[in-house]
Amino acid sequence: MYAAVSICAALRHREISGQGQAIDIGMLDTTVAMMTVQGLNYLSTGRFRPSGNGIRTLAPYQVFPTGDGNIVTCDGDIIPALLSDRIRLDLLEDPRYATNGAQRRERRQELVDELNPVLR
């Protein structure tokens, strides 16, 4: 991720100035930064809880299979709203899933079970 952002910044710099750039990405610090959520979860609870392609603090945040490949949802209240608006309007209006608060996170599997058949 950091390499991709750095490459984009270098390309933009080249576009503006005509000069190239060198990028240097540290593998260890990048790995540590990418593990922040899991690391803090472990440090605060003493337990490591694998979450696969998802994140426990956000819902839905995971890979969903569809008829023509996979999609990855990311969090933000707008993403579930967009999914629901196009797929299941009733989910958008359901107070259990209204915000990414504790209610939606506690009902993560329920929401995933609602979305999976429609997305497939």
Side-chain angles (χ1 to χ4, degrees):
M1 181 178 80
Y2 292 126
V5 170
S6 298
I7 290 167
C8 288
L11 289 171
R12 179 69 177 138
H13 179 80
R14 183 189 68 185
E15 181 181 303
I16 292 169
S17 70
Q19 297 176 339
Q21 295 284 307
I23 63 170
D24 182 15
I25 304 298
M27 301 270 295
L28 178 60
D29 48 322
T30 300
T31 302
V32 170
M34 297 297 282
M35 293 297 298
T36 302
V37 172
Q38 290 291 357
L40 288 176
N41 184 41
Y42 175 77
L43 292 173
S44 64
T45 66
R47 293 178 295 155
F48 175 71
R49 300 182 309 173
S51 58
N53 290 322
I55 293 179
R56 293 185 182 283
T57 57
L58 308 173
Y61 188 110
Q62 64 190 79
V63 175
F64 284 95
T66 70
D68 60 353
N70 294 332
I71 61 168
V72 178
T73 61
C74 58
D75 186 61
D77 288 331
I78 192 66
I79 300 301
L82 287 172
L83 278 172
S84 300
D85 188 38
R86 287 173 174 65
I87 298 169
R88 293 275 311 272
L89 187 57
D90 60 307
L91 295 179
L92 177 59
E93 297 167 348
D94 191 324
R96 297 173 300 168
Y97 309 128
T99 64
N100 192 37
Q103 331 184 133
R104 191 188 307 156
R105 288 191 308 269
E106 289 169 3
R107 293 176 173 84
R108 173 191 319 274
Q109 191 57 52
E110 192 177 311
L111 178 58
V112 168
D113 291 345
E114 294 278 353
L115 290 172
N116 265 328
V118 180
L119 291 169
R120 283 179 198 216

